[in-house]
């Protein structure tokens, strides 16, 4: 079992819709969770992080964490074509190393 | 520009040659990470430093790979006797203590 799993996609949503991206992780000791966006040929850029169970909102983005289910998600409201990218879920454990999932490709259709 | 800086941005080398990449982290960041990413995959952890100490190294990392951070500031990643399978984007990231990490632009290596 891979440590961090994501559906590779592509996930296609129409402009203005809500995009829902999911991530599961295997290490119950994981402490913090991150979402990065990566455009083709570019390096990952941080969108947001979450440490506690529940929801965390930042503009059009909401991260949701459920440690009991070992599940973290990212919701993007009012999706725009500029949101089309690969979204990487990363998990950090006590070892202080960031473990990344394979990423989900999101395509927002005009 | 106070972000993470990586050089060179692109490197083409012949199989069997050695290559070295440099990463300059954000100035107050004490932790520095190296990752490798191939097309369609997420970043794969290689190694990380806290100040000048190399605290963790991936078990998958061949002994052809070595990294240093001699003064706890910039870091270098060297690959000896490059192979075609080493072709990838090499990413450096840094953070302060346990906070979120920020990535540099990456070095794209092509081994021909």
């Amino acid at each position: 079992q891979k440590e961090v799993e994501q559906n590779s996609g592509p996930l296609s949503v129409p402009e203005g819709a809500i995009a829902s991206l999911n991530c599961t992780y295997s290490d119950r000791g994981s402490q913090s969770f991150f979402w990065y966006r990566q455009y083709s040929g570019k390096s990952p850029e941080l969108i947001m992080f979450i440490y506690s169970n529940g929801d965390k909102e930042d503009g059009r983005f909401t991260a949701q964490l459920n440690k009991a289910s070992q599940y973290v998600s990212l919701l993007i409201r009012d999706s725009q074509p500029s949101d089309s990218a690969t979204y990487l879920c990363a998990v950090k454990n006590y070892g202080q190393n960031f473990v990344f999932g394979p990423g989900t490709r999101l395509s927002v259709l005009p | 520009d106070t972000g993470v800086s990586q050089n060179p941005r692109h490197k083409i080398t012949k199989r069997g040659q050695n290559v070295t990449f440099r990463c300059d982290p954000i100035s107050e960041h004490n932790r520095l990470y190296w990752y490798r990413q191939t097309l369609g995959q997420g970043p794969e952890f290689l190694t990380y430093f806290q100040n000048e100490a190399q605290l963790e190294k991936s078990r998958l990392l061949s002994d052809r790979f070595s990294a240093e951070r001699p003064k706890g500031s910039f870091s270098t990643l060297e690959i000896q006797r490059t192979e075609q399978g080493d072709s990838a984007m090499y990413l450096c990231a840094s953070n302060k203590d346990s906070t979120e990490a920020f990535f540099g632009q990456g070095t794209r290596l092509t081994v021909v």
Side-chain angles (χ1 to χ4, degrees):
Chain A
Q1 181 186 8
K2 292 188 176 179
E3 293 185 63
V4 180
E5 297 198 37
Q6 297 180 257
N7 188 324
S8 62
L11 172 66
S12 295
V13 299
E15 184 175 355
I18 296 175
S20 177
L21 303 158
N22 304 317
C23 170
T24 58
Y25 59 94
S26 60
D27 184 355
R28 283 195 172 275
S30 298
Q31 296 295 297
S32 44
F33 308 85
F34 305 83
W35 283 99
Y36 287 83
R37 176 175 61 198
Q38 187 173 29
Y39 293 111
S40 180
K42 303 295 185 183
S43 63
E45 54 180 330
L46 180 71
I47 297 174
M48 62 191 304
F49 56 88
I50 186 167
Y51 299 149
S52 305
N53 278 329
D55 295 359
K56 180 181 178 182
E57 187 173 319
D58 184 359
R60 296 186 296 114
F61 299 97
T62 299
Q64 299 174 317
L65 174 61
N66 183 328
K67 289 186 178 180
S69 300
Q70 295 173 244
Y71 174 91
V72 58
S73 66
L74 180 70
L75 300 177
I76 307 174
R77 289 182 298 282
D78 188 24
S79 296
Q80 301 297 309
S82 59
D83 294 326
S84 298
T86 295
Y87 288 80
L88 298 165
C89 172
V91 173
K92 192 146 74 82
N93 55 23
Y94 288 112
Q96 299 300 324
N97 167 30
F98 293 81
V99 179
F100 284 83
T104 298
R105 276 193 299 131
L106 172 66
S107 178
V108 180
L109 307 174
Chain B
D1 187 351
T2 57
V4 179
S5 177
Q6 290 188 246
N7 287 287
R9 296 290 305 277
H10 303 275
K11 178 72 177 179
I12 299 174
T13 190
K14 291 184 178 180
R15 191 173 49 189
Q17 298 294 304
N18 299 344
V19 293
T20 300
F21 310 140
R22 175 175 170 131
C23 172
D24 287 88
I26 294 171
S27 61
E28 66 269 23
H29 284 185
N30 56 344
R31 291 184 176 158
L32 185 149
Y33 306 79
W34 284 100
Y35 286 84
R36 174 173 62 191
Q37 187 176 29
T38 54
L39 198 62
Q41 302 297 315
E44 175 191 22
F45 170 74
L46 295 179
T47 188
Y48 102 91
F49 293 84
Q50 180 165 308
N51 300 313
E52 66 275 11
Q54 188 173 18
L55 295 189
E56 191 174 348
K57 189 174 175 180
S58 170
R59 291 188 301 274
L60 302 174
L61 200 60
S62 158
D63 57 8
R64 295 184 297 106
F65 287 70
S66 61
E68 294 184 339
R69 194 183 183 198
K71 297 182 180 179
S73 56
F74 73 91
S75 175
T76 57
L77 176 68
E78 181 183 19
I79 309 174
Q80 296 181 327
R81 305 181 302 282
T82 52
E83 302 172 356
Q84 285 190 320
D86 297 331
S87 295
M89 174 80 89
Y90 289 83
L91 295 164
C92 175
S94 71
N95 68 349
K96 183 175 173 64
D97 299 322
S98 297
T99 61
E100 62 277 16
F102 296 91
F103 283 86
Q105 315 96 311
T107 294
R108 182 168 295 284
L109 172 67
T110 302
V111 181
V112 298

